[in-house]
Amino acid sequence: MSNLQIRTISAIVLAVAVLLLTWLGGVPFRLFSAAIVLGIFYEWSRMARPKTEASWTAGALGFLPEGLVLIFVGALVIGIPAFALLALAALFAGVLWSAGRLRGIGGWDAAGFGYAALSGLSLALLRGDGASGLVAILFLFAVVWSTDIFAYFVGRKVGGPKLAPAISPGKTRSGAVGGAVGGVVAGLLLAGAMGVGNLPLLGIVALLLSVVSQAGDLFESWVKRRHGYKDSGFIIPGHGGVMDRVDGLVAAAFALYVIGWLSGSADHPAHGLFPA
């Protein structure tokens, strides 16, 4: 079986599983969000720590980072209010940053915790709003997945100047533009099919999410290159690790959460953009 076939099959299986969890919402989706937090932090630690330290073994900070991640994941799953969850994330990131400075190892554990926590938090809080949350997550998926697909095929077909050759040599400017157009169209089609109004506003939101999604992809590529890795992990056949698969999604999820917070509230971010 070719690598393309493996990638396609695993992508379909993942998409079906994720869409099922999205439809269910509640605890199943919060568990899914928690799994993303754990996967991201594991892979970040694996890349960022010295090669003599395996992630999930006691590193320079002992098991403090892992312990804080598990506490945060527990709080995420039981569904504590948004401000409490955000405060917990900020507190734990601050503790890890201070501990890293005291031990002279820098802030990579703190950064990894913050990245993982905000990723899972954004997804869980967006979906937590019943029908509005379901539409918000489906809108997010439509924009991000279409951005990835159109960027890949337009980039291969059109080619042209590289987008960020020092970070990700395979990405082109034409692919970025094609991905943005595809993401906006897909987002608007999804919103229209779900009977959501505000289509001009949602078109602007979709464009922003597409751009942020591609920036998130570049950020993860920079982290991997910074630490000498090609893939963040190997858990997903044909796709590498969790970070490789969700880099653009979690960046866009955080952006949509912030937009929703500004237009609604921290606990109900989907209501402002996608009223039930």
Side-chain angles (χ1 to χ4, degrees), residues 44 48 61 93 96-101 104-114:
W44 182 289
L61 299 181
L96 291 175
W97 182 83
S98 299
R101 289 291 297 269
I105 61 170
W108 282 102
D109 275 332
F113 174 84

Side-chain angles (χ1 to χ4, degrees), residues 79-84 86 124-126 128-129 257 261 264-271:
I80 68 173
F83 279 115
L86 287 163
L125 291 175
L126 281 169
D129 275 340
Y257 174 71
W261 182 353
S265 69
D267 281 296
H268 304 288
H271 281 182

Side-chain angles (χ1 to χ4, degrees), residues 200-262:
L201 174 60
L202 290 179
I204 296 172
V205 172
L207 178 59
L208 176 62
L209 295 185
S210 181
V211 172
V212 171
S213 169
Q214 296 186 64
D217 193 336
L218 289 174
F219 170 72
E220 194 250 359
S221 295
W222 173 80
V223 171
K224 291 189 296 186
R225 187 171 291 270
R226 169 68 173 74
H227 295 289
Y229 283 85
K230 181 179 182 295
D231 295 319
S232 66
F234 43 81
I235 193 171
I236 305 174
H239 292 271
V242 174
M243 287 177 64
D244 293 317
R245 188 64 270 167
V246 304
D247 47 10
L249 176 67
V250 296
F254 179 63
L256 184 58
Y257 174 71
V258 171
I259 295 170
W261 182 353
L262 294 175

Side-chain angles (χ1 to χ4, degrees), residues 68 72 83-98 110 113:
L68 296 182
F72 179 82
F83 279 115
L85 205 55
L86 287 163
L88 201 62
L91 173 63
F92 287 176
V95 167
L96 291 175
W97 182 83
S98 299
F113 174 84

